[in-house]
Every structure is written in structure tokens, then in C-alpha cells.
Amino acid sequence: MSSHTETSAPSTIGSDVVGMRENTSPVFGQRMLQHFDFDPSCRNLNHGSFGASPREIRKKLCWFQDLAEARPDQFIRYEAPDILNESREAVAKLLNAPTDTVVLVPNATVGVNTVLRNIDWNDDEKDEILYFSTIYGACGNTIDYLVDSSHSRISAREVRLTYPLEDEEVIAALKDAIEASTKSGKRARLCLFDTISSLPSVRLPFEQITKICRETGILSLIDGAQGVGMIDIDLKGLDPDFFVSNCHKWLFVPRSCAVLYVPERNQAMIKSSLPTSHGYIPKSGKRFNPLPKHNGSNFVNNFQFVGTLDTSAYLCVKDTIEWRHRVLGGEAKIIEYIQTLAREGGKKTASILGTWVLDNKSNSMSKCATTNVALPLGPEDSIRASGWMMETMMSDYKTFIPLFRHNDRLWARISAQVYLDIQDFEWAGHILLELCDRVKRGEDRNV
């Protein structure tokens, strides 16, 4: 098949933004905006919610879509499966995992649902799902649905986290929950936990949590929605039971695309994709599969074609990883820049607001590309004002910063990315300060 004509990579000119050495770094910061299609009147300080994809990769996305329109049967039946395998191979290599342990799904929520809905829960009403109080809302709702619809077969136990906490305190809270589950006559069957939680956006000690699960015979399901492209992930070393991570966020793959990892030892548990499609093997025997290209792995076949959906984004994974290497210098440089910018940018924003960044003494919570900055508002103001502030950010300042309450205080979550620099965090500090002053003047009450 003919290949898409790639645009030439821009010349790399050094940058000293946030202390990055001029002779070793690509041009990170606002000049990197040339590769994206953001409205020039807006600032994207919320990469963590929906991600963004470079123009060059989005052109490749459209190219795949055009091929599907030009010759649907030839492309969808015979060509796309091979390109999909190349994408799986590329992301598997990035995550240090065997290719046939990874498949692609629309997003992390679908991945979490796929695992939870495939588990054979026991009939003795002892199975319990452990999760942390900072769980992503959709995943929390999935657990609630399973509990509500299980007719008492499944229960759930929350591990309460109130930050700041050291990693040891998080682990201690998990161990207490496991012990409490046993004492109550339950069986901790599975633990669902994040790499980087959403709100507040902090790094959990997911490596240690995975180890505790393995030692106690609990299935580990890692929600790495904020994961690949933001932090280093080594699945061979980590060895979780299940792992899912969005590719359309920090990795720059177009929406919507996520990687679902299931080691070979657990693949028999995942009997069906979500929704069930041609790859499912019923107990009565295989039905006719109209798609001609199959893999040797039943697990991979299950996810190769899940109904007629636009999966063009899946086909862009390999090209996106190559683009990150060619244009941005590779994963190590990207991660170093965005994590450094989040740390230094958070300090800058907090200094303007006269507040602080949410972190612990060891700084382990902030080893990621997001920062959480306290707002200078009292509890009464923050309860009333957050919705108005977020809407006003869009209408008056042409930006969006998620605001959330934690530990009786209102916080702002700001994302660092290669197209941002320290000036963006300074600007964010000033508009947040102005919004807080407007709240104190009662403007939010006049709506």
C-alpha cells in the first residue's frame, strides 16, 4: 500500500525554557504551537481532559478515512488490519510489552468497563472491588453499576485519600482496606487504581500498589488514562493484571484511542470486547466471521473489528510515536520538559496567587505533567463560585482550567505540554487571581 507523504521536520533550535539546555532540546514552548491547530485567540491549558493531535498526524487520520471512503471493502477488510497490527506493535514496544498482549479500544473508560464486565464474579457474595476515593467518576459509576446490578454478588470498598499524603500513607490505607475487607467476611478480588488521578491530578504509587495486589492475590486493574506519553511505563517490570491508557491524551494520537494490556496469563478472562462482536467465541462453537484477516491470538481477534466504527485513530499510533521522535526528540526529552514545566509552572502560578501547590515532602505526588494550585478563596466562596469561574474563563479569557474541591479548598488543575512555557503559567496565575477577585466582589452572584 502506498504511504502517506510526510511533511519535513522543522529545524531544531535550542530553548532555555524552564532551565532546559539550549544545545540539547528541541524548540519546546509556544513556538511548538506551529504544529497544532488551536484557535490562536485561545490558550489550551487543559491538555489532560481531551488531548490534542499535531496537524501532520491529523492529516494522516484524514488520509486513512479517505481510503475507507474510496474503497471500503478493500481497505477495511484487507488493509486496515495490517496497519492496526503495526500500531499495536509500536505502542507495545513503547510500553515494553509483547505485541499480542495489547489491543486498541476507544478510551480508558471502555477499557476499564471491558475488564470489569468480563470478570467471572463468584456467587458466594464475598467478592469485593477496592478503589480509591480519587477514582475517575465514570469508572466509579461503573463499579456502582456492577454492585447495583449484581444482586449482592459484588460489593465495593473505598480507600479514602485526603492529600497531601506520602506514598507510604497511601500504601498503608490500601493495606488497612484489605484487612478490613477480610475481617468483614469479604474477599478483595480486584483493585482499580490510577497512574495519575484526574482530580486532584497527582501521581499514585501505582508500582507499589501493583506489588501489594500481586502479593495478596488481588487482581490489579490500572487506569492509566493519564499515562502513556506523560510518564515512563514499563509493563514488563510493572507486571499488572490489566492496564489501560489513553493514547489520544499525552501521546498525541487523534481522538479516540486507548491501549488495553492483558498479559497472556489473563487473556482467557477477557472473553468479549465491548460491545461483543465477531471475535467472540461462544461455548457452542465459532460462528461465521465475515472478516478475512485474523490473528493467531483469540484475544487480539476479539478487538480487531468491533462493529463498523471509525477506528482511523488506531491506525495513527505508529506514525504519532515516530513523529514524537523525529520532531520532538523522543519520549525522554518530552517527559523531562513537561514534568519540569508542570513543577516550575505550578510554583509560578502559586506565587502569583499567594498560595501553594498540592504536593508532599518527597514531591512524589507531582512527578507528572499536571499541577494543582490552591485558589485564594474561602470555603463558602469556592462552593458557590467554581462553576461561574470555569464558564467565565471560556467567555472572557478564552481558556479553560478545571477547578475542583479537595480537602475543603478549591484548586485549579493546569496541564503542562510541549507547546506551553513558563509564561503560560504566569498568565494563568494572573487570570485566576482576577477571577478570584471578581468572586470576592460578588460578580458570580449577579448571574
Side-chain angles (χ1 to χ4, degrees):
M1 193 176 80
S2 61
S3 61
H4 176 59
T5 303
E6 303 285 353
T7 59
S8 58
S11 60
T12 0
I13 303 171
S15 169
D16 56 1
V17 174
V18 200
M20 304 296 282
R21 293 193 302 276
E22 182 170 342
N23 62 347
T24 60
S25 299
V27 187
F28 293 135
Q30 293 183 7
R31 286 186 61 186
M32 194 57 66
L33 289 168
Q34 66 183 301
H35 297 289
F36 295 84
D37 284 321
F38 297 123
D39 183 336
S41 70
C42 300
R43 293 202 196 205
N44 188 31
L45 302 177
N46 183 32
H47 189 98
S49 281
F50 305 117
S53 189
R55 183 181 307 107
E56 181 178 329
I57 301 303
R58 290 177 56 250
K59 287 181 178 178
K60 192 69 181 275
L61 173 81
C62 293
W63 184 68
F64 286 132
Q65 291 171 331
D66 288 345
L67 288 177
E69 292 301 317
R71 43 184 196 268
D73 281 290
Q74 179 178 337
F75 184 72
I76 295 172
R77 293 176 186 271
Y78 295 98
E79 296 177 355
D82 294 332
I83 306 171
L84 177 61
N85 287 337
E86 292 175 0
S87 282
R88 291 193 307 104
E89 183 178 5
V91 75
K93 182 178 179 180
L94 182 64
L95 295 171
N96 193 22
T99 300
D100 281 352
T101 62
V102 302
V103 293
L104 298 175
V105 294
N107 53 58
T109 303
V110 171
V112 168
N113 270 262
T114 300
V115 173
L116 290 177
R117 293 168 188 266
N118 270 282
I119 298 293
D120 283 331
W121 303 100
N122 290 297
D123 292 325
D124 60 8
E125 301 185 359
K126 291 184 178 182
D127 283 349
E128 194 160 59
I129 301 172
L130 304 183
Y131 67 95
F132 292 89
S133 57
T134 52
I135 190 172
Y136 183 61
C139 295
N141 283 339
T142 303
I143 292 175
D144 292 339
Y145 171 78
L146 288 172
V147 171
D148 292 344
S149 61
S150 71
H151 305 291
S152 301
R153 289 174 64 221
I154 311 169
S155 59
R157 186 176 298 272
E158 180 184 82
V159 183
R160 194 75 194 167
L161 300 181
T162 303
Y163 289 109
L165 293 169
E166 295 296 335
D167 290 350
E168 294 77 13
E169 295 176 286
V170 175
I171 296 301
L174 173 61
K175 289 181 177 179
D176 288 344
I178 295 171
E179 184 178 354
S181 178
T182 301
K183 285 183 177 179
S184 66
K186 295 292 185 177
R187 177 195 306 112
R189 181 82 185 281
L190 179 145
C191 183
L192 171 58
F193 54 97
D194 299 292
T195 48
I196 315 296
S197 58
S198 179
L199 299 171
S201 188
V202 299
R203 182 171 180 147
L204 274 78
F206 61 91
E207 301 94 338
Q208 294 170 257
I209 297 172
T210 305
K211 184 173 182 289
I212 295 296
C213 289
R214 186 162 52 247
E215 292 172 347
T216 54
I218 300 171
L219 292 171
S220 55
L221 169 52
I222 304 180
D223 179 4
Q226 313 274 350
V228 61
M230 187 218 270
I231 59 174
D232 290 316
I233 297 170
D234 177 2
L235 290 178
K236 182 178 180 181
L238 185 60
D239 193 27
D241 288 302
F242 308 98
F243 173 87
V244 63
S245 186
N246 285 323
C247 299
H248 59 250
K249 289 195 178 185
W250 300 90
L251 197 61
F252 295 152
V253 174
R255 290 179 289 270
S256 296
C257 178
V259 55
L260 171 62
Y261 162 84
V262 181
E264 187 175 350
R265 67 178 182 270
N266 292 333
Q267 289 181 4
M269 296 186 192
I270 308 302
K271 299 178 179 66
S272 174
S273 59
L274 193 65
T276 300
S277 193
H278 291 295
Y280 178 68
I281 301 176
K283 293 180 180 179
S284 59
K286 290 185 179 181
R287 294 182 183 274
F288 170 66
N289 186 340
L291 302 172
K293 287 212 168 183
H294 303 146
N295 286 276
S297 162
N298 289 334
F299 170 68
V300 173
N301 282 334
N302 229 331
F303 294 86
Q304 180 170 289
F305 182 88
V306 185
T308 306
L309 304 173
D310 182 1
T311 55
S312 304
Y314 297 5
L315 310 182
C316 295
V317 172
K318 178 184 176 182
D319 297 281
T320 306
I321 294 172
E322 289 176 348
W323 185 89
R324 288 165 68 87
H325 178 77
R326 171 168 48 83
V327 178
L328 304 182
E331 298 304 311
K333 289 186 177 181
I334 297 168
I335 290 172
E336 180 189 1
Y337 180 82
I338 60 179
Q339 291 192 5
T340 302
L341 178 58
R343 182 174 62 251
E344 299 302 322
K347 293 176 184 176
K348 172 64 72 174
T349 302
S351 69
I352 292 169
L353 293 171
T355 60
W356 59 91
V357 171
L358 183 61
D359 207 352
N360 53 19
K361 290 182 180 179
S362 63
N363 302 126
S364 63
M365 290 168 51
S366 59
K367 289 181 180 177
C368 58
T370 47
T371 186
N372 309 277
V373 183
L375 296 186
L377 292 174
E380 293 183 3
D381 286 331
S382 65
I383 291 173
R384 186 188 67 245
S386 59
W388 176 86
M389 291 175 72
M390 286 187 282
E391 287 190 22
T392 305
M393 280 185 223
M394 294 299 305
S395 61
D396 293 10
Y397 303 95
K398 301 296 185 292
T399 194
F400 186 86
I401 299 171
L403 305 181
F404 63 96
R405 283 182 58 79
H406 184 76
N407 201 7
D408 294 326
R409 175 167 286 276
L410 193 64
W411 302 82
R413 184 193 80 184
I414 309 176
S415 302
Q417 195 43 270
V418 297
Y419 51 75
L420 300 173
D421 57 32
I422 200 73
Q423 286 76 29
D424 292 294
F425 282 78
E426 185 175 5
W427 180 83
H430 287 300
I431 70 118
L432 287 169
L433 183 62
E434 186 172 320
L435 278 165
C436 290
D437 288 340
R438 292 174 67 176
V439 168
K440 292 174 183 178
R441 292 195 299 267
E443 287 189 39
D444 60 310
R445 290 176 244 188
N446 299 327
V447 179

